[in-house]
Amino acid sequence: MAHLFRDRTLGESKRDMGSNSARFPTPDLPSPFGELGCDFSDSELRETAYEIFVGACRTTGGKPLTYIPQSEKIERSPSSISNSPSSSSSSLQRSLTSTAASKVKKALGMRSSKKSPGKESSPSKSKKPVTVGELMRVQMRVSEQTDSRVRRGLLRIAAGQLGRRLESMVLPLELLQQFKASDFPDQQEYETWQKRNLKVLEAGLLLHPHLPLDKSDTASQRLRQIIRGASERPMETGKNNESMQLLRSAVMSLACRSFDGSVSDACHWADGFPLNIRLYQMLLEACFDANEETSIIEEVDEVLELVKKTWMILGMNQMLHNLCFSWVLFQRFVVTGQVENDLLFAADNQLAEVAKDAKATKDPVYSKILSSTLSSILGWAEKRLLAYHDTFHRGNIDSMQSIVSLGVSAARILVEDISHEYRRKRKEEVDVARNRIDTYIRSSLRTAFAQAKLKCGWLDNIRQRMEKADSSRRSSRNQPNPLPVLSILAKDIGELAANEKDIFSPILKRWHPLAAGVAVATLHACYGNELKQFISGITELTPDAVQVLRSADRLEKDLVQIAVEDSVDSEDGGKAIIREMPPYEAEAAVANLVKMWTKTRLDRLKEWVDRNLQQEVWNPRANKEGFAPSAVEVLRIIDETLDAFFQLPIPMHPALLPDLMTGLDRCLQHFITKAKSGCGTRNTFVPTMPALTRCTAGSKFQGVWKKKEKSQSSQRRKSQVGTMNGDNSFGIPQLCCRMNTLQRIRMELEVLEKRIITHLRNCESAHVDDIANGLGKKFELSEAACQEGIQQLCEAMAYKVVFHDLSHVLWDGLYIGEPSSSRIDPLLQELEQNLMTISETVLDRVRTRVITDIMKASFEGFLLVLLAGGPSRAFSRQDSQIIEDDFKSLKDLYWSNGDGLPVELIDKFSTTARAVLTLFSTDTESLIERFRRVTLETYGSSAKSRLPLPPTSAQWNPTEPNTLLRVLCYRNDEAATKFLKKTYNLPKKL
């Protein structure tokens, strides 16, 4: 569609264009100065203008007007150049003779050419310098014969009317009187010449007179009759010819009129509008190089200086010159193919002078011509700018800035300096440039959008026809459906916006600070109208609907981003533009549908977890890795759910992912909680602390106590079995399987999280911060539940093994009766078997932790036997070595000759036990003294009169009163017995 609007020549290479303007297609660019009303050709106007120019520049003597090219001026010294006042061209030979650059060009902002018409017309350096008349003759395409005749006629006129100025003559009339048919090569040329001069008289005196004509004016009637007669038969000319006398009488009567009715010395025959402007235009066009019509000659300063000598005859002034010169520069750009941007730039700079003139004058005639000229320029510019996407592209974008600048300059003068409406308003209320650019942007983008929509509709019709013709074959091949029309349109609009931002907005921003913002706001509104109709018809999230909404969302984000970036430095931060872009709410529509999809998936997953956990047997031999099959399945479902989510054709995965992740995390947390439930804790298996008592080995009541203790232990074990539902799902292998399961889940969480990050990186809507911060994409609840569950299971297993499974060799066997006959070996044997089973069952990452917890539990159990083992146990000071040796054997079991736990870890957790064991080798008196001192330090002065009974803390420490007291209670000697009886009235024997 663009070719219907784009100027064919805009952006074409200058080298591809010919130097002759006749080769260029003449665009529809009517003259703003009005029609002459008679059949004047450009050559006739040019010849008339040339006659006026030569006449205005004629000398009082017989010397010609000399012209010296710039190159020869530089080569010659200033002293060799004539400054004779007798030559009217002497002003050309002053300082300019040594100046290579044109002041006029510099003022217009144009580049200097490397060649000049002077060089072109001087094929050899030896040729004498040409005259200014010769330069103008070449530039105005006047033949040498015509030039010779004009100069000869002017000499004759000057000879016959010495001292008379040209402005007091009617030049066509004088020339008609000086020449006859014999002065021309043939009769036809003479008749053509005569008719031209008579047409000039008709145009200047009858059609466009300086002063309005009275209908009753007899002179005008006579002149019409004479011209009409001459059109039928050439009139006789000559000095004493009667027809010439009649012509002179009528012409002079009309030309010498004045406003006050008196006879004026000045003749007004070529200074009526628009004839004078058209003639002056012909003279200004001589400033363009005849051999390169887009270039202004280097000698433009000299030419314009002489052209201005015609002002008296043509009724011109500086204001009209500035206006006419602006038009000539602009028109030359248009008619020469719109390839030389320097011309537009120059015209724009010249309009700056016109703007000054418009502010300084209220002349109604000038204002009328000004308005017409600027309207013509503005009309031509706006024809391209109101649909600039069809006119400009990367190849010719340079010309756009010049055209916009020219159009804005014209509009400013028309509105600010001519419009009365504008003057009534405060200037700060009207920003002409910004308003114009705003109009151009909105108009052009609406046009471009309409064309894009039309193209998409045309493509859709073709697609539908192809689908009908080829539906069976396409379905059999399972080809994907083509993009919906609105998705294609969104893509095209996105490209249009990006193109606007990159190519056009940088130019338009000079006049409108929010050029890109206005553009995208316009496109946003255009596409939004189409989208509203589409959304109103959506009933479900079909692939086409998702694709359109996704495309719309992506387009909106792109448009808003451009608007935001464009308005960073604006006063309101772009709020006004953003208000023009109400959200499409496509994202909300998609989000609601995705949330429904998510809820369905999560409900289904939770039901599956509950159903499968009821059937899980926690058999570590179900697979090689030793974890529950249900965990494999739940992780697979979560993985498939995430894959399905990221495969949804939606634009906001990062925004909707947290809701899905929260739901999956809770489902997985539910699985983990169920997996560890019912397995017990440390307190489930640690036996109840016996009451603090005094005991003596061999007491007659010892057997009674032992029976009571065994009965309590049996009841405790039964109750513990009861908490595990009476089945075997909480045995050592099953607990190992549960731990393996939680560890496997924990490992898979890391894999899932990395996979989610990979998915996010592939999402076009995700940002770096989204990936870095996670946006709640981690399984935080499940991770914490796994850690807590593994810790709980490890601890539960450790205390179950030590205090439940090995209770018969620990609690019921170790140091019962005589310590030397009930040592630790049976415990070590069974403990080692359990450790072997656990090591072979649990995963590597859990093994050390489990064995460490068992070690801690066994150390605690060992101390519990020594410090709270009940009245069946009593130790003498001599038994301390046995205890030390047994504890060393216990530690060696975990060290396993270097194949077990690290020495540092064993030492770390055996520190308390080793410290407490030193008490068993300490003499009773020292223990009693230490107990007194520690108790006083703990309870202060209140303990001096009576030592309080310290509470049982179960946190054993050799500096803690309760620990010291328990060592004394289990010390089998008289000193301990007396101290306990005296201090706490504990019986010597039970």
Side-chain angles (χ1 to χ4, degrees):
M1 296 294 293
H3 70 277
L4 299 177
F5 300 92
R6 184 178 292 124
D7 287 337
R8 182 180 62 83
T9 55
L10 264 179
E12 293 181 4
S13 172
K14 188 175 176 180
R15 291 190 297 269
D16 297 336
M17 313 303 293
S19 61
N20 192 334
S21 62
R23 298 182 185 179
F24 297 110
T26 303
D28 183 18
L29 190 65
S31 172
F33 307 129
E35 298 298 327
L36 294 179
C38 52
D39 188 19
F40 267 117
S41 66
D42 283 351
S43 61
E44 288 176 325
L45 286 173
R46 193 179 300 112
E47 189 171 341
T48 301
Y50 182 71
E51 290 171 349
I52 295 173
F53 170 78
V54 175
C57 295
R58 67 185 175 84
T59 61
T60 55
K63 292 185 178 181
L65 301 174
T66 59
Y67 162 74
I68 301 175
Q70 291 286 345
S71 59
E72 296 189 20
K73 290 177 183 178
I74 296 171
E75 292 172 3
R76 297 171 57 181
S77 64
S79 60
S80 65
I81 300 173
S82 171
N83 290 318
S84 171
S86 63
S87 171
S88 64
S89 63
S90 60
S91 61
L92 304 178
Q93 301 170 10
R94 291 196 291 268
S95 60
L96 288 178
T97 58
S98 60
T99 304
S102 163
K103 289 184 177 180
V104 172
K105 277 193 170 186
K106 184 177 180 181
L108 294 174
M110 302 184 73
R111 299 183 300 268
S112 294
S113 304
K114 294 183 179 180
K115 58 184 179 179
S116 69
K119 286 188 178 181
E120 294 291 338
S121 60
S122 303
S124 65
K125 291 185 178 180
S126 60
K127 185 174 180 180
K128 293 181 179 180
V130 297
T131 63
V132 172
E134 180 66 12
L135 171 63
M136 286 297 289
R137 183 192 68 76
V138 172
Q139 288 296 100
M140 297 187 73
R141 295 191 284 275
V142 175
S143 66
E144 292 183 3
Q145 293 81 0
T146 300
D147 174 66
S148 178
R149 183 173 61 246
V150 171
R151 291 178 181 273
R152 189 167 64 249
L154 288 171
L155 287 174
R156 292 176 183 175
I157 294 170
Q161 302 184 34
L162 288 175
R164 189 176 178 190
R165 299 178 62 82
L166 187 67
E167 55 266 24
S168 64
M169 305 178 192
V170 179
L171 186 57
L173 177 65
E174 301 299 336
L175 290 175
L176 283 170
Q177 185 171 306
Q178 297 300 327
F179 295 108
K180 297 181 180 180
S182 58
D183 293 307
F184 292 83
D186 55 58
Q187 181 66 26
Q188 184 179 357
E189 186 174 342
Y190 169 68
E191 291 178 3
T192 301
W193 175 83
Q194 186 184 93
K195 287 180 180 178
R196 176 179 64 79
N197 280 284
L198 290 174
K199 278 198 295 184
V200 171
L201 292 174
E202 180 184 17
L205 295 174
L206 298 179
L207 299 178
H208 308 289
H210 177 71
L211 297 175
L213 287 174
D214 190 342
K215 292 183 179 180
S216 61
D217 193 313
T218 57
S220 62
Q221 295 174 3
R222 286 200 308 273
L223 182 57
R224 286 192 181 91
Q225 292 174 356
I226 294 171
I227 294 173
R228 192 180 302 116
S231 64
E232 298 174 358
R233 182 169 62 89
M235 64 179 293
E236 293 292 332
T237 58
K239 292 183 180 180
N240 300 318
N241 188 280
E242 182 180 356
S243 59
M244 277 301 301
Q245 295 302 322
L246 292 173
L247 178 63
R248 174 176 289 278
S249 173
V251 166
M252 296 306 292
S253 176
L254 292 171
C256 295
R257 292 178 303 137
S258 62
F259 285 101
D260 57 6
S262 62
V263 178
S264 172
D265 290 337
C267 293
H268 301 282
W269 62 273
D271 51 356
F273 297 102
L275 175 62
N276 58 344
I277 297 288
R278 294 294 298 276
L279 291 172
Y280 194 67
Q281 180 181 347
M282 293 298 170
L283 293 172
L284 291 179
E285 287 179 353
C287 296
F288 293 97
D289 194 331
N291 298 298
E292 190 177 354
E293 295 196 336
T294 60
S295 176
I296 289 182
I297 58 176
E298 289 299 304
E299 296 76 12
V300 62
D301 303 59
E302 292 91 329
V303 169
L304 286 180
E305 184 178 347
L306 293 183
V307 165
K308 290 180 180 181
K309 292 181 179 294
T310 65
W311 287 5
M312 284 294 293
I313 300 172
L314 297 175
M316 299 294 292
N317 55 31
Q318 187 65 49
M319 291 193 303
L320 291 171
H321 164 80
N322 291 338
L323 180 60
C324 191
F325 197 24
S326 299
W327 171 258
V328 168
L329 290 166
F330 165 72
Q331 184 194 43
R332 180 55 61 106
F333 167 77
V334 175
V335 300
T336 55
Q338 306 169 34
V339 296
E340 185 52 74
N341 288 329
D342 258 12
L343 294 173
L344 274 184
F345 190 66
D348 191 27
N349 285 334
Q350 188 65 27
L351 277 185
E353 298 300 317
V354 173
K356 296 177 185 177
D357 296 337
K359 288 180 173 65
T361 183
K362 296 182 180 179
D363 182 359
V365 176
Y366 171 78
S367 295
K368 181 178 179 181
I369 299 173
L370 174 64
S371 178
S372 175
T373 304
L374 296 178
S375 296
S376 183
I377 293 174
L378 183 59
W380 180 91
E382 290 196 333
K383 182 179 179 182
R384 285 139 186 86
L385 296 176
L386 288 170
Y388 57 77
H389 289 85
D390 296 321
T391 307
F392 303 102
H393 48 83
R394 288 188 185 275
N396 66 358
I397 193 63
D398 290 342
S399 63
M400 180 180 179
Q401 179 161 336
S402 300
I403 291 176
V404 174
S405 181
L406 190 72
V408 168
S409 296
R412 274 178 172 156
I413 299 172
L414 281 170
V415 175
E416 295 178 3
D417 301 318
I418 298 178
S419 171
H420 298 293
E421 179 67 24
Y422 177 83
R423 291 177 181 176
R424 283 196 292 268
K425 296 181 179 180
R426 296 174 60 188
K427 289 190 176 183
E428 56 266 22
E429 295 176 0
V430 180
D431 189 334
V432 176
R434 180 166 178 162
N435 291 347
R436 288 282 171 175
I437 299 302
D438 194 281
T439 300
Y440 300 155
I441 293 172
R442 296 183 189 276
S443 171
S444 186
L445 283 162
R446 288 191 188 106
T447 301
F449 180 86
Q451 292 172 358
K453 181 182 174 184
L454 185 63
K455 183 189 76 172
C456 287
W458 176 70
L459 291 174
D460 190 45
N461 290 333
I462 293 178
R463 187 192 74 176
Q464 290 176 357
R465 289 198 299 269
M466 291 179 67
E467 285 177 348
K468 289 179 181 178
D470 199 32
S471 58
S472 60
R473 185 167 63 206
R474 184 168 60 82
S475 60
S476 64
R477 291 180 181 178
N478 197 25
Q479 295 179 356
N481 289 326
L483 287 175
V485 173
L486 279 183
S487 293
I488 299 174
L489 182 60
K491 181 176 180 293
D492 291 346
I493 298 309
E495 293 174 354
L496 181 61
N499 198 54
E500 180 77 17
K501 175 188 173 185
D502 294 340
I503 299 177
F504 301 111
S505 295
I507 291 174
L508 299 175
K509 199 174 183 68
R510 173 182 166 188
W511 295 276
H512 197 308
L514 301 176
V518 170
V520 296
T522 303
L523 291 175
H524 185 275
C526 291
Y527 188 83
N529 292 333
E530 303 296 324
L531 185 65
K532 283 180 183 177
Q533 298 179 17
F534 177 81
I535 291 179
S536 63
I538 294 178
T539 56
E540 59 179 330
L541 195 60
T542 63
D544 275 5
V546 171
Q547 188 63 49
V548 170
L549 293 172
R550 180 184 180 187
S551 299
D553 185 66
R554 186 186 303 114
L555 173 64
E556 182 169 51
K557 285 182 170 62
D558 291 343
L559 297 180
V560 170
Q561 180 64 25
I562 292 174
V564 170
E565 291 175 356
D566 187 55
S567 58
V568 169
D569 299 326
S570 64
E571 293 181 359
D572 66 347
K575 293 180 181 178
I577 290 295
I578 298 301
R579 280 196 294 269
E580 283 192 48
M581 304 170 70
Y584 289 156
E585 297 183 353
E587 187 172 326
V590 173
N592 290 333
L593 293 170
V594 173
K595 286 177 181 178
M596 293 174 59
W597 177 91
T598 300
K599 185 177 184 302
T600 301
R601 291 288 185 114
L602 293 175
D603 291 344
R604 193 181 305 161
L605 176 59
K606 189 174 184 301
E607 292 175 3
W608 184 95
V609 168
D610 290 333
R611 184 172 62 253
N612 280 266
L613 277 178
Q614 290 176 358
Q615 302 171 2
E616 185 60 71
V617 295
W618 305 105
N619 180 10
R621 294 182 177 84
N623 48 52
K624 293 181 180 180
E625 291 81 4
F627 53 84
S630 58
V632 178
E633 191 64 17
V634 74
L635 289 170
R636 183 190 63 79
I637 294 174
I638 290 174
D639 192 33
E640 289 179 352
T641 302
L642 286 169
D643 283 343
F645 172 78
F646 282 106
Q647 287 174 7
L648 291 175
I650 58 175
M652 67 290 284
H653 289 101
L656 297 177
L657 181 59
D659 287 343
L660 175 62
M661 289 299 301
T662 299
L664 293 176
D665 195 16
R666 286 175 179 168
C667 286
L668 194 53
Q669 181 194 30
H670 178 65
F671 178 91
I672 296 166
T673 302
K674 288 281 187 180
K676 69 176 183 176
S677 64
C679 295
T681 63
R682 174 186 181 278
N683 295 331
T684 305
F685 302 103
V686 174
T688 305
M689 188 78 67
L692 184 66
T693 184
R694 174 70 184 135
C695 61
T696 301
S699 168
K700 64 179 180 178
F701 298 104
Q702 190 173 2
V704 177
W705 176 263
K706 194 169 185 179
K707 288 179 182 179
K708 181 180 179 182
E709 186 183 46
K710 284 183 178 180
S711 175
Q712 291 176 348
S713 176
S714 175
Q715 289 179 356
R716 185 166 57 250
R717 282 197 293 272
K718 287 180 180 179
S719 66
Q720 290 166 359
V721 171
T723 62
M724 291 182 260
N725 304 323
D727 57 24
N728 199 32
S729 61
F730 298 97
I732 296 300
Q734 287 72 30
L735 289 175
C736 289
C737 181
R738 292 173 190 264
M739 280 190 288
N740 289 345
T741 299
L742 297 191
Q743 180 60 29
R744 177 56 184 262
I745 290 174
R746 188 178 180 188
M747 293 165 58
E748 286 299 316
L749 289 181
E750 297 179 4
V751 176
L752 286 172
E753 288 169 5
K754 290 179 181 178
R755 195 170 299 163
I756 290 169
I757 296 300
T758 301
H759 280 305
L760 285 174
R761 284 175 178 155
N762 295 329
C763 292
E764 70 276 7
S765 59
H767 301 290
V768 176
D769 291 343
D770 296 340
I771 299 170
N773 300 332
L775 275 178
K777 302 172 190 64
K778 293 184 177 180
F779 293 87
E780 294 178 350
L781 297 176
S782 300
E783 173 67 23
C786 280
Q787 291 185 23
E788 181 184 345
I790 292 172
Q791 179 180 350
Q792 177 184 331
L793 289 172
C794 286
E795 192 174 72
M797 176 183 284
Y799 284 88
K800 179 179 185 300
V801 168
V802 173
F803 292 99
H804 182 273
D805 297 352
L806 300 182
S807 176
H808 62 286
V809 289
L810 174 67
W811 195 251
D812 296 339
L814 182 62
Y815 302 141
I816 294 294
E818 194 65 35
S820 60
S821 60
S822 54
R823 296 186 64 175
I824 202 169
D825 291 339
L827 173 66
L828 296 179
Q829 291 174 4
E830 294 198 29
L831 183 58
E832 184 176 13
Q833 292 176 0
N834 280 273
L835 291 175
M836 292 279 293
T837 301
I838 293 170
S839 297
E840 292 172 355
T841 307
V842 297
L843 295 174
D844 292 345
R845 293 192 178 185
V846 184
R847 184 177 300 129
T848 299
R849 184 167 186 175
V850 175
I851 294 176
T852 301
D853 280 353
I854 294 175
M855 178 182 71
K856 290 164 59 179
S858 64
F859 289 169
E860 186 176 335
F862 188 78
L863 285 180
L864 199 62
V865 165
L866 296 177
L867 299 175
S872 60
R873 291 177 173 89
F875 306 98
S876 66
R877 184 179 175 188
Q878 289 73 26
D879 294 331
S880 63
Q881 188 59 48
I882 294 174
I883 296 172
E884 290 277 358
D885 292 342
D886 284 351
F887 186 69
K888 182 178 182 302
S889 298
L890 181 61
K891 292 193 297 179
D892 288 345
L893 174 66
Y894 294 105
W895 181 60
S896 188
N897 295 321
D899 294 332
L901 296 177
V903 174
E904 296 79 8
L905 192 64
I906 297 172
D907 289 342
K908 174 183 176 182
F909 290 107
S910 64
T911 301
T912 300
R914 284 187 283 110
V916 172
L917 291 185
T918 60
L919 298 177
F920 286 84
S921 63
T922 305
D923 62 272
T924 303
E925 290 74 13
S926 297
L927 286 174
I928 293 172
E929 182 60 31
R930 186 184 300 183
F931 173 72
R932 290 179 184 277
R933 185 176 67 254
V934 171
T935 303
L936 288 172
E937 290 174 356
T938 303
Y939 295 97
S941 58
S942 61
K944 289 182 179 180
S945 59
R946 180 179 177 83
L947 292 175
L949 185 67
T952 300
S953 64
Q955 298 296 322
W956 313 126
N957 192 303
T959 61
E960 190 257 338
N962 182 256
T963 303
L964 292 167
L965 181 60
R966 284 184 176 273
V967 173
L968 287 171
C969 285
Y970 288 93
R971 175 61 62 88
N972 187 14
D973 65 14
E974 189 65 24
T977 301
K978 290 181 178 180
F979 172 75
L980 294 172
K981 175 64 178 175
K982 180 181 179 181
T983 305
Y984 298 112
N985 198 27
L986 290 178
K988 293 183 178 181
K989 292 183 180 179
L990 187 63

